[in-house]
Amino acid sequence: MSEQLKAAAATSSAGGSSAGSPQENGWRLLLGAYFDFIRIRFLTMLAYRVNYYSGILIYTLNIGVNYFTWRAIYGDGESLGGFTGAQMTTYVAVSWMARAFYFNNLDREISTDIRDGSIAIQFIRPYNYVLVKMMQGLGEGLFRFMMLMIPGMVIAILLFPVQLPTDLSAWAGFLVMLFFSFLISSQINIITGLSAFFVENNEGMMRMKRVVVDLFSGLIVPISLFPGWLSSVLEVLPFQAITYLPGSVFTGRVQGVGIWNVLGIQVIWFVVLLIPIVWLYHAARQRLFVQGG
Amino acid sequence: MYYLGLLFEYLKNYMKTRLTYRADFWVEVVSDLLFQATNFIFILVIFMHTESLGGWSQNEVVFVYGFFMVPFGVFSCFVNMWGFSERYIVKGEMDRILTRPAHNLFQIFLENVDPPALVGSVIGLIIMGISGSNLGLPFEWWTIPMVIILTLSAVAIYTGIYTTLTSLSFYSDAPTGILPLMYNIQTYGRYPVTIYNRAIQVLLTWIIPFAFVGIYPAALFLHREEMQGMALLTPVVGAIFLGIGLLSWNYGVKRYKGAGS
């Protein structure tokens, strides 16, 4: 499987750069190794960049279909759930393009590592496995940002009446929040992936996660359009921090001090989600038994 | 007859492996249903904010959705080519397939049968029944035969499209990330295509004809005059796309030289 090849390439090269070096400067070496994980994943993704051209087309198509669906829903164009028609267009475009950036398959990579047993080797290496996965995700994210999200956004702006924010604070806020979207989405992926330690076959969980994130993050339907009880439930779940909150900043529905508040929500979720990851990681190390090995 | 026997043997084998991981079976059923539920929630939310979607009422859209689930369930049960390139070409499993007498594509389908997906089809039929009776749709003599014919045609369209896309991995060894994204796009064939602009309509009708697995055939049962012709065209489109799929697959297999390990 290609993901494994990538992971193998990444790990072996990082191992190579730290092997044969003396113990001093250990910290700097380790940091360098983590940095290498970002770089190598970025380069492997770059080698397969042709595949992502079709990705740009398909994401544009997604935006188009959603745009026309919402236009049909708006009909005579008042506002729905606090969204004007123009804001909805912008929201749809930026949400799908944000997904093009933050989406990754860390859950699948981790559960493959667990199922084929290669996790055992990864655990005895002198680095933190979860952190390495995060770094690889970052490398992939960097690639997706530059090769998928930016060109996709340009096409979306040309094709659909997207309104870019004029406020500098909205741009700055959105970019910072986009990074946290990536962090939180990857954290959820890592939690899902590590669950393979406990259920042996977590295919179903991974699929469920994907569906739940797409729906409850506000990608398909903005949270404020859900019926009251559901949107109040979703406001206390981490998923809205992935799409809905950054999207609200970009469309200008949240402005000024409000940006700090929604950013605060993201930071809180980032910290809170660290707890299950650390716990799962330690529980997993205790529990590790390799299937068929 | 020989192929039917094989199908039976593979299903028996499937049940045996599944009994060891019994919980997985139910997790899979639930996650499939949840996937469908997402789209259902989307429809419900839309109609909380509008009376009609491009001239279609909530019950009609729900009916189309129910119909969409039926062929999709059958397709996911019997045709499952997820990760073909990694599992069969990179790992060399394709060589094993090719040494056996039954047709290679048939074997690949059988090795990946996924009966839990059929639960979705059953639920689709139930949804069609409920929304159909809400709409007061007449139950004609041709209803059941047409459901069967249109379902098989839609399955043929799916199979054609995905076989074509999968056979690309014979021509290029780079992994293609197209398949998962296609899964997103096919769901758009469920909404009245007339709400989209010309380009997307043409795309969903003639190029990747997902409108023929949802809205067009379902329109027949809803007695929507404007799409009647399209509905009757479904079997033709199914035959054409299945043909394209099989041709590009067979041609790809001929070119296949093994991963060389």
Side-chain angles (χ1 to χ4, degrees):
Chain A
M1 195 172 151
S2 66
E3 292 298 335
Q4 276 170 292
L5 287 178
K6 286 179 212 161
T11 45
S12 67
S13 126
S17 68
S18 58
S21 18
Q23 280 294 329
E24 74 252 24
N25 287 337
W27 261 109
R28 238 186 53 204
L29 270 174
L30 199 61
L31 273 180
Y34 284 126
F35 181 76
D36 276 346
F37 280 114
I38 302 180
R39 194 173 59 90
I40 289 159
R41 176 59 70 93
F42 182 83
L43 291 176
T44 21
M45 299 293 289
L46 206 60
Y48 290 111
R49 63 184 169 278
V50 180
N51 293 317
Y52 288 83
Y53 298 149
S54 59
I56 295 176
L57 282 180
I58 288 174
Y59 269 100
T60 312
L61 185 62
N62 277 319
I63 293 173
V65 166
N66 279 285
Y67 164 70
F68 288 112
T69 310
W70 285 111
R71 223 175 57 164
I73 297 165
Y74 270 86
D76 297 328
E78 353 68 272
S79 85
L80 290 183
F83 279 85
T84 65
Q87 279 179 335
M88 186 60 92
T89 307
T90 310
Y91 181 86
V92 166
V94 80
S95 303
W96 278 97
M97 283 307 158
R99 184 184 191 272
F101 160 65
Y102 67 67
F103 183 86
N104 57 39
N105 281 319
L106 287 186
D107 50 348
R108 203 159 287 276
E109 291 172 29
I110 293 174
S111 64
T112 310
D113 279 352
I114 293 172
R115 272 201 270 179
D116 69 14
S118 65
I119 189 118
I121 308 294
Q122 304 250 26
F123 269 0
I124 55 174
R125 293 210 174 115
Y127 54 59
N128 183 308
Y129 174 72
V130 172
L131 210 54
V132 164
K133 279 292 159 202
M134 204 69 182
M135 293 298 152
Q136 290 176 340
L138 199 58
E140 183 171 343
L142 216 58
F143 168 83
R144 285 169 158 274
F145 184 75
M146 285 161 51
M147 304 306 253
L148 201 54
M149 181 174 169
I150 299 293
M153 201 67 204
V154 171
I155 294 173
I157 290 168
L158 292 176
L159 289 179
F160 310 107
V162 175
Q163 287 180 339
L164 296 178
T166 46
D167 222 3
L168 194 67
S169 65
W171 278 104
F174 173 73
L175 287 175
V176 174
M177 291 185 75
L178 191 63
F179 183 64
F180 273 94
S181 297
F182 161 79
L183 288 178
I184 294 169
S185 149
S186 303
Q187 282 178 312
I188 293 173
N189 282 346
I190 288 172
I191 292 171
T192 318
L194 286 177
S195 72
F197 269 117
F198 305 92
V199 291
E200 286 176 26
N201 184 353
N202 65 343
E203 186 62 41
M205 280 190 69
M206 289 192 292
R207 280 197 228 169
M208 244 189 268
K209 183 230 76 196
R210 197 169 161 163
V211 170
V212 165
V213 168
D214 278 355
L215 182 64
F216 290 162
S217 68
L219 175 71
I220 298 172
V221 182
I223 308 266
S224 62
L225 264 72
F226 281 116
W229 62 271
L230 187 55
S231 54
S232 52
V233 170
L234 293 180
E235 271 158 25
V236 294
L237 290 175
F239 308 112
Q240 62 154 350
I242 298 175
T243 303
Y244 183 64
L245 297 183
S248 299
V249 171
F250 195 81
T251 52
R253 299 181 69 246
V254 172
Q255 288 174 333
V257 197
I259 298 178
W260 289 105
N261 291 337
V262 285
L263 181 61
I265 298 178
Q266 281 191 317
V267 175
I268 291 172
W269 274 115
F270 170 70
V271 175
V272 169
L273 287 174
L274 286 176
I275 299 168
I277 292 179
V278 170
W279 179 78
L280 273 172
Y281 184 62
H282 285 286
R285 293 188 76 124
Q286 302 288 318
R287 204 190 135 87
L288 175 64
F289 73 101
V290 176
Q291 287 184 41
Chain B
M1 220 36 239
Y2 166 64
Y3 282 96
L4 265 181
L6 271 183
L7 175 65
F8 187 67
E9 286 301 319
Y10 270 103
L11 281 177
K12 242 170 48 187
N13 209 3
Y14 171 88
M15 286 323 287
K16 280 182 204 153
T17 46
R18 267 309 147 109
L19 284 175
T20 36
Y21 287 105
R22 226 170 291 200
D24 282 1
F25 181 88
W26 292 110
V27 171
E28 204 172 307
V29 169
V30 170
S31 68
D32 276 359
L33 291 183
L34 208 72
F35 178 70
Q36 301 295 345
T38 332
N39 303 303
F40 197 64
I41 292 172
F42 180 64
I43 295 173
L44 293 184
V45 171
I46 282 179
F47 281 99
M48 282 170 56
H49 298 280
T50 182
E51 283 295 302
S52 85
L53 186 65
W56 296 61
S57 71
Q58 175 165 16
N59 268 315
E60 287 176 311
V61 173
V62 170
F63 183 90
V64 175
Y65 170 79
F67 176 81
F68 173 88
M69 286 177 77
V70 178
F72 181 68
V74 176
F75 162 74
S76 330
C77 170
F78 292 105
V79 181
N80 185 353
M81 308 212 264
W82 205 272
F84 169 78
S85 170
E86 286 85 8
R87 283 186 300 152
Y88 285 89
I89 294 187
V90 175
K91 291 197 177 157
E93 289 282 293
M94 194 64 201
D95 298 353
R96 169 178 62 84
I97 299 280
L98 287 176
T99 54
R100 293 178 176 176
H103 189 269
N104 50 70
L105 188 57
F106 185 73
Q107 286 184 59
I108 289 165
F109 288 166
L110 282 183
E111 286 186 357
N112 298 297
V113 281
D114 186 27
L118 286 175
V119 175
S121 296
V122 174
I123 291 183
L125 287 173
I126 295 171
I127 291 177
M128 278 169 83
I130 294 173
S131 56
S133 70
N134 283 347
L135 286 164
L137 289 182
F139 194 86
E140 315 269 6
W141 61 269
W142 47 262
T143 302
I144 289 179
M146 273 324 263
V147 168
I148 295 171
I149 292 173
L150 292 178
T151 299
L152 292 179
S153 315
V155 172
I157 292 174
Y158 278 125
T159 311
I161 293 174
Y162 284 100
T163 308
T164 311
L165 289 177
T166 309
S167 67
L168 289 180
S169 48
F170 288 118
Y171 305 102
S172 121
D173 51 351
T176 51
I178 305 177
L179 242 55
L181 291 167
M182 272 294 157
Y183 266 72
N184 262 330
I185 288 174
Q186 72 196 14
T187 61
Y188 300 142
R190 249 187 346 226
Y191 302 104
V193 281
T194 42
I195 64 174
Y196 305 136
N197 71 350
R198 200 78 202 118
I200 297 180
Q201 281 186 38
V202 169
L203 182 77
L204 286 178
T205 307
W206 305 116
I207 301 170
I208 33 173
F210 284 131
F212 281 104
V213 303
I215 191 87
Y216 289 150
L220 185 71
F221 306 106
L222 290 167
H223 298 271
R224 304 282 302 206
E225 302 296 332
E226 73 270 27
M227 288 183 184
Q228 218 94 101
M230 286 309 216
L232 296 174
L233 213 59
T234 311
V236 180
V237 177
I240 293 173
F241 274 83
L242 186 61
I244 296 174
L246 291 179
L247 277 179
S248 66
W249 178 270
N250 284 336
Y251 187 69
V253 170
K254 269 203 203 100
R255 280 178 46 124
Y256 172 73
K257 294 195 186 70
S261 48

